Amino acid sequence: MSSMKAVDTGYSHESIEAKWQNIWANTPPVACESSRKHCYVLEMFPYPSGQIHAGHLRNYVMGDVIARYKRAKGFAVLHPMGWDAFGLPAENAARQQGIHPADWTSENIDRMKTHLQALGLSLDWDREIITCSPDYYVHQQRMFIDFWRRGLAYRKKSKVNWDPVDLTVLANEQVIDGRGWRSGAVVEQKELEQWNLRITSFAEELLAGLDGLLDWPARVRLMQHNWIGRSEGVCIRFALNDASPDLSDDVREIEVFTTRPDTLLGASFLALAPEHPLLESIKSPELKGFLDRCRDHDRTDTPEPEGIDTGLRVIHPLQASRELPVYVANFVNMNYGSGAVFGCPAHDQRDLDFARKYRLPVIPVVLPKECHEDDFSIGDTAYTGTGSLINSDFLNGLENTLAAEIVLKRLASQSLFGSPQGKKQTSWRLQDWVVSRQRYWGCPIPMIHCRECGVVPVPLDQLPVTLPRDVRFDNAGNPLQEHPTWKNTTCPVCNLEAQRETDTMDTFVDSSWYFLRFSDPWNSGSPCDKSVAADWLPVSYYIGGVEHAILHLLYARFFTRMMKQIGYIDFEEPFSRLFTQGMVVHETYCTQDGVWVSPDDVTISERQGNRIAVLKSTGHEVKIGPVEKMSKSKKNTVDVSRIIKDWGADTARWFVLSDTPPDRDISWTQEGLAGAYRFIKRIWRTVNEVADIFSNSGQSSSRASSSQDLEILRKIAHKALAAVERDLENLNFNCVIAHIYGLTNSIAKVLEDRKVFCYPGSAAVLREVVEFLLLSIFPIMPHLAEECWQILGSDGLISQTAWPVVDRALIVEDIITIPVQVNGKRRGEIAVDRDISEKDLKEAVLELPVVKSFLAGSQVRRVIVVPRRIVNVVL
């Protein structure tokens, strides 16, 4: 599909785009006076995989549109690019292809940089950073030592998430539904000594800071809020029965954290995490076997609760005559609360499933308001709502919130072994960030292990600690551990033989501060100059996928706070405004045998009103599957470099922003691409026609004109420009395009009557209007705009032309945006004058590319207009 070339109509995108990219590269930038307002536009930088994909295209074009618009508005704009260059894919390539990770990465960067430059992105390439460069990670190593000296980096032996495929530790945030975020393998639990960053020290700040991020998507803030997971609850101490086996005399109690103390009298068991230290004293082959099974699997999202009775019993804190059995359960997390919970099956679904499986009592203690106690029972579903207490002794009849307070007071007044039996406690879901990775291609951790001195930092004058080039990838695991000499060194304190740390840093560390380095990438003594960083940061517009809401965005907020605490910077939040764009999706195609087929290998046609896909090579029909996220596995990707070559960068840029709101998924179609190219040709023809009018009519500088059509057109142009400006500020790119279509249609109508250009000043009015059009399309289609600007004979480069000033007197009555439907389903929108006639509105709607894409082979039966509300095209 994407191999189909654009039809030649006198507009040569290859030569025009090459011409202007060369001119821009050799044009000195506009001087950046410190007095100008600063704007920092940044898209999440890419991993150098070797190819830019459609998601990259959409992401970077959005940022480029903002950057170009803000420059035209008089801002000093920072719009840099770099490469998130460390990571496992490079190491895997070394094993599979026999190429060194450094060479693989460098080749991929060169290839992708060429593709990005072909898009005409106005990037500050002089600020380019590459995270695998020692010039970059030397600062990361210095910061790590600073963090270690402040107690923010530490080494600890603990249970960690182990990816058995990638053979490395993963942070909690990198385990998705029990599987490794990159490999997809079921994660195991291992006990290892690892380096951690103390993100929990900033949990309160990270949570509170979300309230100030008003220009972030609400769903991202909610995701971070839930991940940080602050829980206000009660710590309850359960006394162990004196007859408990295997326990030493000093083990007398189990602490439990709960957010539902109101349900305490409905408890029927206690459950411990498999890592709970109390279990180490119990000698039971059956228990050991269960713990071994738990140890080999991540338990964050266990599909079915499973446990084993330890034989221990505890005394109920409110009813001394009751004893509760103590189980080990695979759903209890040692990192949450105290690693122990009480089970109230009637009011927690997981507890209920567990109780049914092991035949434990189910005691309902919270009665819904609409129910009577005699009619209320628990079946297969736990009741988790509010209500009044039943089966709860002195709490009966109380609302559950009041009952919770009374339980806390009762427990606080009771003494157990000389201390209150219960107290308020705050628990957090967030755990410290494990940053050790057992791999070669990462930033070396700048620490040394000495038998005499323990762990000591590498002296600052010996940084950076660089990776050895001569490593082997024959065996699984970390090549640094197997290197014959690299890890051997001398302790800087006692001069005895010592070993370097062979773990490298999680690559999310590299991306947690890169946005700061862009502000001052030439600084050799510090990550950035504090005053320079203050000029540019926080980032004004940060654009990237919502999938980074937890991993990257949370870590970046944490890292910024650590850097402030050390004294590198003076602010806490890295990104003022966050925009998360939708994905680019595509139809899928597969043969009758279930083999996925690339869109490039398929021809789409229509047969008896149905779309048919056939293989180009054989002519055999293939199945057209659902529209899905582009992926290599289903081969529904497009080659962006080929799109640029065959259709042009401006076509690709226009298409990925048109029709669909930028925060929603966009479906990549050949029809949409062709529609974008048709619009380029239309602009091209319009500007050449206007240039012909100028050459034959003279160029009066006066705006006075007795042509009513031209004055109306001038009003429309100013209204359109005001709307474009408003929607660019709000990142409503599809609406911007709708306004441009409307203005283009208005210009075309005036051009139909050449008589209007006989009036004095008509050329001046037309020039103003067409220049408005070109300035509006310039941020999106810069090559076309520059070429047309030159054809018109306008002054200088359009890329160095200020954004025009809207004449507010001409836009008293605003333009309106009207939704457009095809057969009752919304397909787009159009921006038109509020007083547009029904006839003109119908004609304008039928010219929309999104509508034309549905017209192929179909007849328009009716166009239904609800004035100022909606237009529905019925086929």
Side-chain angles (χ1 to χ4, degrees), residues 148-427:
W148 176 78
R149 287 174 173 153
R150 291 289 187 96
L152 297 172
Y154 67 94
R155 190 168 169 83
K156 175 186 175 184
K157 189 173 185 178
S158 61
K159 300 285 185 182
V160 294
N161 305 306
W162 179 259
D163 189 314
V165 172
D166 285 339
L167 299 177
T168 187
V169 167
L170 301 176
N172 288 342
E173 291 82 2
Q174 293 165 327
V175 178
I176 313 298
D177 295 333
R179 296 179 178 271
W181 72 286
R182 187 182 291 279
S183 72
V186 174
V187 170
E188 302 170 357
Q189 297 293 299
K190 278 195 175 185
E191 190 168 65
L192 296 172
E193 196 163 16
Q194 301 287 280
W195 285 100
N196 296 258
L197 292 178
R198 208 178 296 277
I199 191 173
T200 53
S201 296
F202 296 86
E204 194 79 60
E205 291 181 38
L206 291 167
L207 186 63
L210 291 171
D211 294 335
L213 299 177
L214 301 180
D215 287 326
W216 279 42
R219 62 172 175 165
V220 174
R221 286 184 286 146
L222 179 62
M223 290 166 73
Q224 288 206 6
H225 184 282
N226 292 340
W227 186 263
I228 295 169
R230 174 175 176 157
S231 299
E232 295 290 343
V234 178
C235 177
I236 304 174
R237 300 163 63 210
F238 286 76
L240 281 159
N241 185 305
D242 291 339
S244 298
D246 299 329
L247 300 183
S248 60
D249 293 341
D250 59 339
V251 180
R252 298 186 293 178
E253 64 183 76
I254 297 175
E255 282 192 357
V256 167
F257 175 79
T258 180
T259 59
R260 292 294 305 272
D262 54 307
T263 65
L264 181 56
L265 285 164
S268 60
F269 67 93
L270 256 61
L272 307 181
E275 299 86 5
H276 199 287
L278 184 145
L279 299 173
E280 296 174 3
S281 303
I282 302 177
K283 312 300 181 185
S284 163
E286 187 179 6
L287 175 63
K288 183 179 182 301
F290 177 77
L291 296 180
D292 288 342
R293 291 199 305 276
C294 290
R295 188 176 296 117
D296 292 336
H297 298 283
D298 178 81
R299 299 184 308 283
T300 54
D301 288 283
T302 305
E304 182 181 352
E306 186 180 358
I308 186 172
D309 191 344
T310 65
L312 302 176
R313 298 294 181 267
V314 293
I315 300 169
H316 196 290
L318 296 180
Q319 294 178 331
S321 61
R322 285 180 63 194
E323 288 189 351
L324 304 178
V326 180
Y327 280 74
V328 184
N330 60 353
F331 58 80
V332 184
N333 190 337
M334 190 64 212
N335 292 324
Y336 180 75
S338 59
V341 301
F342 75 74
C344 179
H347 304 292
D348 182 282
Q349 189 62 46
R350 190 178 52 189
D351 293 350
L352 179 61
D353 295 341
F354 190 84
R356 296 297 191 206
K357 183 172 184 175
Y358 295 102
R359 300 183 179 182
L360 298 168
V362 178
I363 308 168
V365 292
V366 179
L367 179 69
K369 290 181 180 180
E370 65 276 8
C371 292
H372 189 277
E373 183 175 351
D374 294 338
D375 302 323
F376 180 62
S377 62
I378 300 296
D380 295 329
T381 304
Y383 174 66
T384 58
T386 60
S388 57
L389 271 287
I390 58 174
N391 301 321
S392 296
D393 196 12
F394 63 95
L395 300 173
N396 284 339
L398 298 176
E399 292 296 315
N400 64 292
T401 52
L402 178 58
E405 295 176 11
I406 292 175
V407 169
L408 174 59
K409 288 180 181 178
R410 173 72 68 93
L411 293 173
S413 67
Q414 294 178 184
S415 176
L416 181 68
F417 309 128
S419 300
Q421 194 159 11
K423 63 181 179 179
K424 277 188 176 181
Q425 182 173 302
T426 300
S427 186

Side-chain angles (χ1 to χ4, degrees), residues 819-825 862-866 870-874:
V820 175
Q821 295 181 338
V822 177
N823 290 337
K825 292 190 72 173
R862 295 176 64 196
V863 179
I864 302 170
V865 175
V866 179
I870 200 166
V871 179
N872 182 24
V873 179
V874 181

